Amino acid sequence: MRGTTVLSGDDDVAGQPGALPMHRLEVPVADAVPFAIGTFDTIGPMARAAFPHRHTFYEIVHVTDGRGVHVTDLAHWPLRPPHLGFLVPGQVHHWEDAAGVDGSVVLFTEDFLLDHPGDRALLRLLAERPWPTLDERSAGQAERLLADLHDEYARGAGGCPSVLRALLHVLVVRASRLYGVGSAAYDRPGTRPGAVAEEFTRLIGGGDPALWSVGACAARIGVTPGHLADAVKAATGRTPGQLVREARAHEAKRLLARTELTVRQVAGRVGFDDAAYFCRFFRRETGASPGDFRRGVEVRGGGAAPEDGGTEGGRAEDGRAEGGRVEGGRVEGGGAEGGRVEGWGRARDIHHDDRVQSIARPRRRA
């Protein structure tokens, strides 16, 4: 298999200066597995991209060395390796002042999770967590699992896709225990209302304005809008409309924080034809005007505006980013800076290119 991370075309609104680029995992061979694993160097320069961007695929990052800051959406997380981090389609991220960053990068598409669809819920919850420092035991277990993934992918022997999916599933489930996500989140999509709500959440979280509609999501899932509303309410206790409004506001924050788009352009990107109406919507949802939010982001070095509990100079004001610990799968103080995870066994100078370095799978060995 050969895969390539590329910048997308028309869907990146290329005519709007400062729009966020979208990277894809392309699999040109019809029967190839939509999966790749490698080091930061073999995956290519986009693995350490210093500019804000998003993916259409999932990414798991195992950082074993290096310094700098990883920025996800509106939060800054200083590197204190080893880390095991998760990114989902639609999230905005980049690296700041990264030097000597090394480790493994795992890339895979939505289709690769067909054997374990419940992993999608866990991956989204894991992607909301900071990247705490793994203790020696947890780091060793992660390294062994990733070594198995590397070896299986390189060999490409019979049954390889099934083994890769199984190993990935183990990695995701163990990480969910470690980071305190818990089995309830994994079990919830097993019921029909939970499955519908899970798919709805995935669709509205991808940053696509065409899907910020209950009717559009219902059509994509294959249910009636009424059934969707009932399922989402039963599974989450909230209405689809509430969740759509939150998704639109969150996407607006991403664009205001990470692009040079004007407020009018941001309004258009999140589905508002009237910029004044968008400003009223944004203030109602966040407590700040788009202009005040953007000025707060710039003053605070790229985090969220003050009323959103974001980051200041890479340090979270709510205490999540500094000094936290996770023990036995339980979070204490949250934490990416100085934080450490214990107990796995117990429970920017990269530039845009039209096309970037390929992700080449080694030739199959007999």
Side-chain angles (χ1 to χ4, degrees), residues 226-274:
H227 180 77
L228 174 63
D230 291 343
V232 171
K233 183 71 172 179
T236 70
R238 308 173 73 188
T239 68
Q242 288 175 308
L243 297 178
V244 168
R245 289 195 298 273
E246 288 186 5
R248 296 174 83 180
H250 187 60
E251 178 68 6
K253 289 181 182 180
R254 287 169 166 167
L255 296 175
L256 289 166
R258 304 295 175 217
T259 75
E260 298 175 1
L261 295 173
T262 66
V263 171
R264 184 176 298 277
Q265 288 172 323
V266 170
R269 286 289 288 159
V270 296
F272 289 90
D273 295 328
D274 185 337

Side-chain angles (χ1 to χ4, degrees), residues 153-168:
Y153 181 68
R155 289 181 179 277
C160 174
S162 296
V163 175
L164 289 173
R165 288 186 173 96
L167 290 170
L168 179 65

